Amino acid sequence: MRLRKLVAAAVPLPALLCLSLAGVAHADPLITMSANTAPLASSARSGDVDAGQQINAALSLKLHNQQALQQFLSDVQNPASPQYHHFLTPEQFNTAFGPTQADVAKAVSFLKQNGAKGIEVSGNRQAITFTGSAAQLESTFHTRLGNYTDTTNGRKFFANDSAPALPASVSSVVQAVVGLDNHAVKEHSATTAAPKVVKAVTPSILKTAYSTSGLSATGSGVNVGFVEFDGYRKSDITSYDSKYGLSGGTVTTVPVSGANYDSSPGDGEVEVDLDIEVVHALASKVSSYVYEAPNSNAGELAMYQKIASDARVNVVSISWGSCEPAEGSSAANSVNNAIASGTAEGITYFAAAGDDGTTDCARQTGSLSKAVDFPASSPNVTGVGGTQLTVTSTNAYSSEKAWNDGASAGAGGGGISTLFNAPSWQSHQSTTKRKVPDVAGDAASGSAYTIVSEGSSGNVWGTSGAAPLWAAFTALQNQVHGGSLGNLNPTFYGIGNGSSYSTGFHDVTTGNNTFNGTTGFTAGTGYDQVTGWGSFKGTGLSGLIG
């Protein structure tokens, strides 16, 4: 199951701006934001966006001391460094790397001068969300907004015809303009009636098969965050806990930019239920914080920034994403900065790698070109691929193979990023670009997750179940090791490349993620781009972490 990303876009500014900018162009020249070019490939323009259409958008502000930040992110996960696990508070991060108050003031002043409404600065000063009409956005960012139709899949969207431009004095503090198009879509690909189910998994099966029962941990005292663009009903979570005799922790909704879908959840409700309930399956006593944001690029950025600035959660589970070409480098890099902030503060992020093999854009844009899912491709996130889990008659682990149900049922995502370079812990993997996934977990229809959603029990599958499975395991590790763990990828790759690999991981060596007629990757000994390093051996990996 995978949910993909819906976007929105917008920025507000008055026609008066045209005149004021034109009058000072010689003193403050316009700078084109080339990374903000809209994804218009294979699309036909069908006219201008209505001038009065209101659009939500955001400015992502530049971080400072980027080289020092990258060094800190490396040192904070290096056991040999004095900085090891000395995570920062949001205040400390802002002081060392964040935009200054002067940067924020310059950007806010620019937006106000151009008529922006609803201006909201994120707690860590990295993002400024706002609303404006299409006409205002065109005037402010010196581009036209057009209505388009994707000729591959027929989907209609709006987008900026050309890259936006900002006065040089403003572009000096702005990394990106986010939300001038709504091309990227978070699709819901969950299936709740699985004809291929061999043995659906329940909390007892997961605990036994993945060896977490012996950890003497329940997730108590650990806070888990969920990235969501839809709502849920607490009665479903309570029913799930009751059905399996779990002592569930608190579940709290955290509205972002005014979004709260719980009174009337949409078709993404099953995703939210799956995320929370799978975490409860292994770590029932965690405190869950369900972040709900507008289904837009601006909403996405605001949510990740709020998670980082709140510094409330230890682990984050992400089952919503976009293929990299649809997400675009501007939005992806802006969100990646927010996630880097959270990582520096000790938050561990897990994201589903997608359900379309190496053709991650298939359901979003119809393209069968090779692509990977974001944010699983972020170097600050652990990307989670999929497996088919087989257990014995006593629910003990028997085997796993790469998840590939074929046809419309899905296959585990994996491949090579086009946006992010290979981090140091992965650079030996014979590529200059980031590879995904990093790890894997149960995701197949044959071993689907039994959950409660909309008042009924059903079976659901996909990497959207594998991501919260790893988040749950890591919540147990937070309790076992007495604190936050941050980005675990350096640890996982260190173990995978060392003599203790078989102690911590189930190495998945069979299967592939060839899908949609496009040749993918084949699972094999050690790391591969289908299942990463494999799934966790609960007690074994626990002894190697921290």
Side-chain angles (χ1 to χ4, degrees), residues 238-249:
T238 301
S239 294
Y240 178 85
D241 291 341
S242 177
K243 179 181 178 73
Y244 295 110
L246 305 175
S247 178

Side-chain angles (χ1 to χ4, degrees), residues 85 87 222 314 346 474-475 477-486:
H85 280 190
F87 299 112
V222 181
N314 309 96
T474 303
Q477 298 314 297
N478 274 255
Q479 183 181 356
V480 169
H481 296 287
S484 295
L485 298 170

Side-chain angles (χ1 to χ4, degrees), residues 132-169:
S133 69
Q136 289 174 324
L137 293 178
E138 290 178 330
S139 175
T140 302
F141 299 109
H142 300 270
T143 182
R144 301 294 298 177
L145 297 180
N147 290 312
Y148 287 84
T149 299
D150 191 315
T151 56
T152 302
N153 60 14
R155 197 178 70 80
K156 298 183 183 300
F157 64 97
F158 66 81
N160 47 303
D161 295 347
S162 59
L166 291 171
S169 62

